Amino acid sequence: MASNPYYHVDKLNNSIPYLVPRAAVLLQAIGRNFFDSLQIKGIPLHKIIVTSVLRTQDDVVSLRSRNGNATENSCHLYGTTFDICYNRYKTVEEPDGPARRSVRNDTLKWVLSEVLRDMRRNGHCYIKYEVKQGCFHMTVN
């Protein structure tokens, strides 16, 4: 699992870049739908940022010592869960092209939340809004 046109994988300190196939398909669909929504709304393109993926037992133990949201039986242990940052996004720009107009993160968060709401309503995933960690915790259904 690596960054692609629809999402960026952040430097992973406490996880391994792996998802089971149906979770990888979900992540790809979220990224693509986010792009589509931005285009329809006339908002400059941005990639979502994945901040956590598969964790080992050792990763969980280490994370629990400093993250109150981390649980011993984390969904991240199974490759079915990933976290998407809602307060940072990667601007899509052509290297030699004009600079994009800036977009507020809360605008991008609103568009992302609409995409995620639709995915959840269609039975594709479960979502947990993590306030202290600044991410949507996504688990494939």
Side-chain angles (χ1 to χ4, degrees):
M1 179 184 154
S3 298
N4 73 22
Y6 300 114
Y7 59 83
H8 172 77
V9 179
D10 225 3
K11 182 175 185 260
L12 301 173
N13 296 318
N14 294 295
S15 63
I16 301 163
Y18 173 81
L19 290 171
V20 298
R22 69 183 200 277
V25 168
L26 173 65
L27 175 56
Q28 182 76 8
I30 291 168
R32 188 180 56 248
N33 292 356
F34 181 64
F35 250 48
D36 290 347
S37 291
L38 292 174
Q39 287 181 315
I40 288 167
K41 296 173 187 309
I43 299 170
L45 295 179
H46 288 74
K47 293 182 184 186
I48 55 175
I49 298 175
V50 178
T51 57
S52 185
V53 201
L54 176 70
R55 294 183 186 147
T56 66
Q57 286 287 354
D58 289 341
D59 292 331
V60 171
V61 169
S62 173
L63 198 55
R64 288 189 73 208
S65 68
R66 60 185 185 285
N67 179 343
N69 288 337
T71 62
E72 189 174 348
N73 192 23
S74 170
C75 296
H76 286 278
L77 290 167
Y78 308 103
T80 57
T81 300
F82 52 91
D83 293 343
I84 299 173
C85 185
Y86 61 67
N87 53 13
R88 290 185 297 125
Y89 299 85
K90 198 100 166 135
T91 304
V92 176
E93 295 183 283
E94 292 182 32
D96 298 325
R100 296 278 178 141
R101 72 177 165 90
S102 62
V103 180
R104 292 171 45 117
N105 281 347
D106 59 347
T107 299
L108 297 170
K109 180 181 177 182
W110 180 255
V111 175
L112 179 57
S113 68
E114 290 177 330
V115 167
L116 298 181
R117 179 200 62 213
D118 292 345
M119 298 299 274
R120 190 199 60 195
R121 282 185 179 166
N122 290 325
H124 299 293
C125 60
Y126 301 101
I127 305 168
K128 182 179 178 190
Y129 179 77
E130 295 192 358
V131 178
K132 292 181 181 176
Q133 299 305 312
C135 69
F136 290 108
H137 179 83
M138 309 292 307
T139 300
V140 68
N141 191 2

